[in-house]
């Protein structure tokens, strides 16, 4: 059955259909043809084709029986490395079917694992090296410990160019009988931040309202998905009402399940629309950058954002 | 060794009470106004040895009242309490015009004695005489009702200088000599507890070579409210560095309490500075986790206590009603509410090869896609999940 969800329906199924990563695709295809792949690591931003390439690889290797020889895990969803190990153990117990001498385990978002968990993963990779190949995907290869990196062939995915995303969307538009205005296209690309999956989700969302996709409609969909209440939070802070601001912040983060990083992105963009002096805008941006850094380092996002809000209170006083 | 110095030098008159002027003023007002007060009971609360019981006795003497004293063990059962209290509540004193009822150390009541506490509440409502209650920790859960039905007076810890002055006076009256160093040490380690200081002084004075005495730190346990008061209300002192050692709570929980209450005390520049400190605390906490290097806890501790205390320009006066941290509770409530959202995201995530986390993040856009019935079927969403989407 063909999926009605476009990110699935239009997911490339052949190596030659993967856009924007030609150099990677060629090398992976060559490895696949030799029927002897090493462990692979796909590093790169979201929505650039990492999972897609992994799926194409196993389908190419195993043909019809790919489902029996493929295990997909997501490190950010599994509760701890022990669960991952348990699943790997059960999967690797039986030998692969067909003429490929191994099975494939795709571990998505491997950089969500702590360094200790990665050490455990490394041992698991070794224990099952005769029967299993791992494909690890991550956003940043720097977050993967060296011993794992050295055991993998590393492929770095590029952020998709505007042209690539547009080609994908145009193809979908023809099949689904949509019209997308050039302005709308522009806004979709901007809203997707080069993430192809997100771009497709945006047009499917919009098309559920109308097949004629205008810039206006797209803007509404995207802004609905954005933490618009961030403006309210900042207004409270600037007016000196810190307690209201922090209350609202928690509210927004919980209700919309947005991460601290998304909040800080929105704040950083909002600064330029605030009624404060240029000098203070620069100062508060510097602070925002520092706070974003602390969050990426693994601090408690809420405490860090509160600290940023306290700086906005100062900004509201002209300091 | 003669009489216990704590008893011997216990103040008898207002003029002898030192360092609790505000409390004296408030309790006088309460007694003078009686029975026109809205609330018939007053709670003197504060750490041990600051003069709660003393103050109750002094006021009864000053106001020429008979004092009728109860303690926590009398509250243990309802019948016993009734038998003791009822006549006192109803009869007029034979010798003196007035009567004051003192319930000492009410927080000594255990949870099993709730019956007694309830009885005390009903007596407070009916009483013809003012009721004075003393407590260490008025913020404990079991005293919720009492807190609402009584006026509250907080007695502060006695200032170190004042303790030292009193100790010197006592030594003079006793005709004893102890070197200044030792007196200073006793005053510091008392941590505001006058009774402890006098007991120590008497012990040391009884020794042959007093200055050689090794002073064990009185490891006094303090609650989070007092800890916060010390941090927010006073100038930072080196005592703050070990403050959280005496708070029976994990540092992680203390962080939540501080986070909740900084804005109750600070604003503007002080607020920004204090939160910068809290942010650093959190950064070091993250570093401990990442590097497993536990010495970073030292910095966590210093910034959380001294750092936040030093963020203020002036000391804060007055009473601040510190709040319990609510973040964890709100997160829990939200999780309950968004359970369906989670199961939908889970089904979607599996189907399209993304993590649940991402599906949750992009839920507003995905939700719009899930308006299609075909897709709902494809994902096998159940009725409750569909109902959630329709909401």
């Amino acid at each position: 059955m063909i999926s009605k969800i476009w990110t699935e329906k239009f997911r490339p199924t052949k190596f030659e259909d993967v856009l924007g990563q030609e150099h990677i695709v060629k090398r992976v295809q060559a490895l696949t043809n030799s029927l002897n792949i090493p462990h692979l690591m796909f590093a790169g931003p979201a929505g650039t084709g990492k999972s897609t390439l992994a799926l194409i690889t196993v389908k190419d290797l195993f043909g019809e029986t790919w489902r029996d020889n493929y295990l997909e895990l997501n490190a950010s969803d599994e509760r701890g490395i022990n669960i991952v190990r348990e699943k790997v153990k059960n999967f690797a117990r039986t030998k692969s079917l067909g003429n490929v001498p191994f099975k494939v385990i795709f571990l998505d978002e491997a950089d969500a694992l702590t360094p200790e968990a990665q050490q455990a993963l490394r041992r698991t990779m070794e224990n099952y090296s005769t029967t299993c190949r791992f494909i690890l995907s991550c956003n940043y290869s720097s977050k993967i410990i060296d011993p794992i990196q050295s055991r993998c062939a590393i492929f770095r995915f590029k952020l998709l160019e505007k042209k690539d995303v547009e080609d994908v969307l145009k193809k979908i538009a023809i099949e689904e009988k949509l019209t997308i205005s050039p302005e709308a296209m522009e806004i979709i690309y901007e809203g997707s931040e080069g993430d192809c999956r997100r771009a497709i989700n945006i047009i499917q969302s919009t098309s559920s309202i109308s097949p004629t996709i205008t810039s206006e409609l797209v803007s509404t969909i995207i802004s609905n998905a954005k933490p618009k209440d961030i403006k309210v939070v900042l207004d409270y802070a600037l007016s000196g009402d810190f307690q209201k601001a922090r209350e609202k912040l928690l509210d927004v983060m919980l209700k919309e399940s947005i991460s601290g990083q998304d909040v800080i992105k929105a704040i950083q963009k909002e600064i330029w629309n605030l009624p404060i002096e240029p000098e203070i805008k620069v100062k508060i941006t510097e602070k925002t950058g520092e706070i974003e850094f602390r969050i990426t380092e693994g601090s408690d996002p809420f405490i860090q954002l509160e600290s940023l809000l306290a700086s906005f209170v100062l900004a509201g006083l002209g300091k | 060794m003669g009489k216990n110095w704590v008893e011997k030098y216990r103040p008898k008159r207002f003029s002898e009470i030192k360092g609790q002027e505000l409390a004296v003023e408030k309790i006088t007002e309460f007694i003078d106004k009686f029975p026109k007060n809205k609330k018939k009971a007053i709670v003197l609360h504060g750490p041990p040895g600051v003069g709660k019981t003393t103050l109750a006795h002094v006021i009864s003497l000053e106001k020429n009242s008979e004092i009728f004293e109860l303690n926590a063990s009398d509250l243990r059962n309802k019948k016993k309490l009734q038998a003791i209290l009822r006549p006192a509540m109803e009869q007029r004193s034979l010798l003196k015009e007035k009567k004051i009822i003192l319930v000492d150390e009410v927080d000594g009541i255990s949870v099993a004695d709730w019956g007694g506490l309830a009885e005390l509440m009903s007596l407070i409502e009916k009483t013809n005489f003012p009721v004075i209650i003393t407590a260490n920790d008025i913020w404990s859960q079991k005293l919720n009702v009492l807190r609402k039905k009584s006026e509250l007076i907080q007695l502060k810890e006695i200032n170190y200088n004042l303790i030292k002055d009193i100790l010197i006076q006592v030594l003079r009256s006793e005709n004893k000599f102890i070197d200044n160093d030792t007196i200073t040490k006793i005053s510091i380690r008392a941590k505001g507890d006058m009774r402890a200081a006098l007991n120590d002084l008497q012990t040391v004075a009884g020794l042959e070579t007093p200055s050689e005495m090794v002073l064990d730190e009185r490891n006094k346990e303090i609650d989070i409210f007092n800890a916060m008061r010390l941090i927010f209300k006073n100038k930072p002192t080196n005592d703050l560095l070990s403050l959280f050692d005496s708070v029976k709570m994990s540092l992680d929980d203390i962080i939540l309490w501080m986070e909740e209450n900084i804005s109750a005390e600070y604003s503007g520049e002080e607020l920004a500075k204090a939160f910068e400190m809290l942010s650093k605390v959190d950064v070091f906490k993250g570093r401990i986790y990442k590097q497993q290097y536990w010495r970073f806890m030292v910095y966590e501790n210093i910034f959380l206590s001294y750092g936040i205390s030093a963020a203020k320009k002036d000391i804060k006066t007055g009473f601040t009603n510190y709040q319990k941290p609510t973040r964890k509770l709100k997160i829990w409530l939200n999780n309950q509410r968004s359970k369906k959202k989670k199961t939908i995201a889970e089904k979607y995530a599996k189907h399209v090869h993304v993590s649940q986390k991402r599906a949750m993040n992009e839920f507003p856009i995905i939700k719009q896609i899930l308006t299609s019935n075909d897709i709902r079927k494809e994902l096998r969403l159940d009725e409750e999940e569909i109902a959630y989407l329709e909401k």
Side-chain angles (χ1 to χ4, degrees):
Chain A
M1 193 182 86
I2 294 169
S3 175
K4 297 280 194 307
I5 300 171
W6 294 353
T7 49
E8 282 312 295
K9 186 174 178 183
F10 297 103
R11 188 190 285 282
T13 52
K14 290 189 236 104
F15 283 115
E16 51 271 29
D17 293 343
V18 179
L19 285 182
Q21 316 289 353
E22 290 76 12
H23 60 296
I24 293 177
V25 172
K26 256 187 222 154
R27 283 160 58 208
V28 174
Q29 192 170 13
L31 287 171
T32 314
N33 287 340
S34 74
L35 287 190
N36 189 17
I37 63 168
H39 297 307
L40 307 178
M41 183 188 297
F42 293 169
T48 53
K50 299 185 297 296
S51 308
T52 298
L53 196 57
L55 281 166
I56 293 175
T57 302
V58 290
K59 284 177 187 167
D60 195 69
L61 280 171
F62 302 108
E64 290 294 299
T65 61
W66 70 275
R67 280 174 205 280
D68 304 318
N69 296 300
Y70 176 66
L71 174 69
E72 186 176 308
L73 296 170
N74 195 301
S76 78
D77 290 343
E78 303 299 337
R79 264 162 292 167
I81 187 68
N82 287 334
I83 309 272
V84 173
R85 280 160 81 177
E86 203 54 36
K87 286 188 176 172
V88 170
K89 207 168 95 187
N90 285 332
F91 174 71
R93 195 176 293 151
T94 55
K95 273 196 131 185
S96 71
L97 304 167
N99 42 6
V100 185
F102 52 81
K103 293 174 156 187
V104 174
I105 295 166
F106 180 59
L107 182 61
D108 207 355
E109 303 192 21
D111 45 357
L113 296 175
T114 62
E116 294 77 50
Q118 290 185 31
Q119 288 293 353
L121 173 66
R122 183 192 62 124
R123 282 191 293 278
T124 308
M125 287 169 79
E126 265 160 24
N127 290 344
Y128 299 103
S129 62
T130 50
T131 52
C132 288
R133 293 292 177 276
F134 279 81
I135 303 178
L136 307 178
S137 103
C138 60
N139 291 139
Y140 306 102
S141 61
S142 60
K143 284 193 183 167
I144 304 292
I145 58 171
D146 288 342
I148 290 186
Q149 289 203 37
S150 81
R151 283 171 174 75
C152 296
I154 302 178
F155 297 89
R156 295 185 195 285
F157 285 61
K158 285 186 306 185
L159 196 64
L160 293 187
E161 283 169 24
K162 198 171 163 192
K163 186 181 83 41
D164 297 325
V165 176
E166 279 185 8
D167 284 351
V168 172
L169 296 184
K170 277 177 189 160
K171 194 182 149 215
I172 296 175
I174 293 167
E175 286 219 22
E176 298 291 333
K177 301 185 179 64
L178 312 173
T179 53
I180 306 177
S181 76
E183 300 81 40
M185 198 63 108
E186 194 77 27
I187 296 173
I188 295 167
Y189 180 73
E190 218 172 275
S192 75
E193 294 173 16
D195 177 342
C196 196
R197 180 186 12 242
R198 197 166 149 80
I200 297 172
N201 276 336
I202 292 171
I203 61 163
Q204 186 170 17
S205 270
T206 318
S207 77
S208 74
I209 299 167
S210 157
T212 310
I213 295 181
T214 62
S215 58
E216 205 186 3
L217 215 47
V218 173
S219 301
T220 317
I221 292 284
I222 294 178
S223 71
N224 265 342
K226 268 201 182 147
K228 57 178 174 299
D229 290 338
I230 292 303
K231 175 89 171 71
V232 182
V233 173
L234 294 185
D235 284 344
Y236 276 131
L238 286 178
S239 74
D241 195 341
F242 177 81
Q243 292 185 341
K244 268 259 172 58
R246 70 185 279 265
E247 219 169 87
K248 184 80 190 165
L249 173 69
L250 183 61
D251 214 48
V252 173
M253 287 177 72
L254 290 180
K255 277 212 185 105
E256 316 286 340
S257 22
I258 39 179
S259 67
Q261 258 142 317
D262 285 337
V263 173
I264 206 145
K265 243 196 258 170
I267 290 179
Q268 181 267 315
K269 285 179 187 156
E270 195 60 47
I271 289 172
W272 308 98
N273 305 324
L274 296 175
I276 48 177
E277 293 298 313
E279 188 196 341
I280 293 175
K281 284 186 181 172
V282 175
K283 212 167 141 187
I284 202 92
T285 301
E286 197 186 335
K287 177 85 185 177
T288 306
E290 177 63 28
I291 294 295
E292 183 164 354
F293 171 66
R294 289 178 192 177
I295 293 177
T296 57
E297 261 196 325
S299 300
D300 178 331
F302 192 68
I303 286 183
Q304 295 304 334
L305 287 168
E306 274 179 294
S307 146
L308 184 56
L309 286 185
S311 297
F312 273 92
V313 171
L314 269 191
L317 297 169
K319 287 178 196 164
Chain B
M1 223 165 132
K3 204 177 168 186
N4 181 317
W5 289 0
V6 173
E7 288 312 319
K8 191 170 171 186
Y9 295 98
R10 193 189 279 279
K12 309 284 181 305
R13 292 283 172 184
F14 280 153
S15 57
E16 296 165 29
I17 294 183
K18 298 273 159 40
Q20 303 289 8
E21 287 72 18
L22 193 69
V24 169
E25 195 184 311
K26 275 191 175 170
I27 198 165
T28 311
E29 197 187 309
F30 174 80
I31 299 291
D32 287 344
K33 210 171 153 194
F34 202 90
K36 285 185 211 119
N37 319 41
K38 237 196 250 154
K39 295 172 174 174
K40 305 289 179 217
I42 190 161
V43 180
L44 306 176
H45 66 100
V50 296
K52 299 182 294 295
T53 310
T54 301
L55 184 55
H57 282 277
V58 171
I59 186 103
S60 67
L61 191 66
E62 288 276 1
K63 296 294 167 188
N64 199 28
S65 304
E66 189 180 45
I67 195 156
F68 191 90
E69 199 172 334
L70 288 170
N71 59 36
S73 65
D74 295 327
L75 291 170
R76 201 145 288 159
N77 85 51
K78 195 173 159 175
K79 270 192 187 152
K80 187 176 167 197
L81 182 72
Q82 279 181 346
I84 302 170
L85 256 189
R86 274 274 152 73
M89 290 284 196
E90 283 151 15
Q91 290 161 20
R92 301 213 140 212
S93 166
L94 294 174
L95 304 168
K96 288 178 178 170
E97 271 277 346
K98 291 176 275 183
K99 208 183 280 193
I100 288 175
I101 296 172
L102 170 65
V103 182
D104 215 353
E105 295 184 60
V106 75
D107 44 6
I109 300 180
S110 75
V111 179
D113 302 328
W114 271 1
L117 204 50
E119 184 63 10
L120 176 65
M121 290 311 137
S122 77
L123 286 171
I124 286 176
E125 299 211 320
K126 291 176 209 149
T127 184
N128 295 321
F129 306 104
V131 180
I132 299 177
I133 297 162
T134 71
N136 288 138
D137 179 15
I138 188 65
W139 303 107
S140 79
Q141 188 109 42
K142 60 189 177 192
L143 300 184
N144 276 349
V145 183
L146 177 64
R147 213 156 55 223
K148 277 178 206 136
K149 295 203 171 171
S150 321
E151 282 188 35
L152 303 181
I153 299 182
Q154 188 200 350
L155 279 81
K156 288 175 302 191
E157 299 189 1
I158 315 280
N159 174 292
Y160 144 78
N161 280 319
L162 187 55
I163 290 187
K164 197 175 163 187
D165 286 347
I166 295 171
L167 295 187
I168 291 169
Q169 280 177 36
V170 168
L171 285 174
R172 225 173 264 153
S173 323
E174 291 291 334
N175 244 330
K176 297 258 182 192
F177 176 77
I178 291 177
D179 65 272
N180 189 47
D181 245 350
T182 307
I183 300 174
T184 307
K185 270 188 202 160
I186 293 174
S187 311
I188 289 174
R189 77 162 174 167
K191 290 182 183 156
D193 182 341
M194 193 63 232
R195 178 171 36 221
L198 279 171
N199 278 333
D200 282 352
L201 188 75
Q202 192 168 13
T203 316
V204 173
L207 294 174
E208 288 189 1
T209 47
S211 55
E212 279 170 23
M213 154 146 158
V214 183
L215 294 169
D216 299 323
E217 193 71 6
R218 251 174 218 279
N219 228 341
K220 204 175 63 166
E221 201 180 291
I222 62 170
D223 64 29
I224 184 71
F225 289 94
N226 283 323
M228 287 197 290
R229 251 167 244 136
L230 285 171
I231 289 169
F232 289 127
K233 301 283 188 199
N234 304 317
K235 275 200 180 140
T237 64
N238 286 356
D239 289 345
L240 291 184
L241 301 178
S242 57
L243 176 66
F244 291 136
D245 297 349
S246 357
V247 178
K248 250 199 181 167
M249 198 184 268
S250 74
L251 213 50
D252 288 359
D253 283 337
I254 295 173
I255 291 174
L256 290 175
W257 278 89
M258 296 298 286
E259 179 206 327
E260 187 74 35
N261 289 297
I262 288 175
S263 58
E265 295 278 15
Y266 295 170
S267 62
E269 215 147 326
E270 296 178 340
L271 180 80
K273 270 192 197 161
F275 264 103
E276 174 59 20
M277 278 294 130
L278 193 66
S279 164
K280 294 240 169 81
V281 169
D282 181 52
V283 166
F284 274 100
K285 187 178 145 187
R287 288 177 184 164
I288 295 172
Y289 176 72
K290 263 203 284 190
Q291 320 263 341
Q292 297 291 309
Y293 184 69
W294 290 89
R295 220 194 89 80
F296 284 151
M297 244 174 122
V298 171
Y299 301 97
E300 226 189 311
N301 214 324
I302 292 172
F303 293 149
L304 193 58
S305 54
Y306 197 102
I308 289 177
S309 185
K312 63 179 172 298
K313 279 195 204 105
D314 313 298
I315 58 167
K316 307 289 165 200
T317 52
F319 175 78
T320 309
N321 195 3
Y322 296 120
Q323 300 294 321
K324 258 192 180 158
T326 53
R327 178 145 68 107
K328 276 187 183 165
L329 178 71
K330 281 183 182 160
I331 292 172
W332 183 81
L333 282 175
N334 185 67
N335 287 345
Q336 294 302 307
R337 251 182 264 129
S338 61
K339 253 187 192 157
K340 284 296 145 219
K341 182 172 164 185
K342 240 183 207 151
T343 60
I344 296 168
E346 199 180 332
K347 287 181 181 176
Y348 174 85
K350 242 205 166 129
H351 203 71
V352 304
H353 312 275
V354 295
S355 65
Q356 284 169 43
K357 222 163 117 194
R358 269 199 78 185
M360 289 291 276
N361 274 335
E362 296 185 356
F363 204 79
I365 285 187
I366 294 165
K367 196 174 163 189
Q368 188 63 39
I369 297 174
L370 298 182
T371 50
S372 145
N373 276 329
D374 287 341
I375 293 176
R376 287 178 183 177
K377 257 184 230 153
E378 185 181 332
L379 293 180
R380 301 203 173 122
L381 298 187
D382 62 31
E383 275 172 31
E384 282 177 41
E385 287 162 344
I386 290 169
Y388 176 84
L389 289 170
E390 296 286 336
K391 234 180 2 188

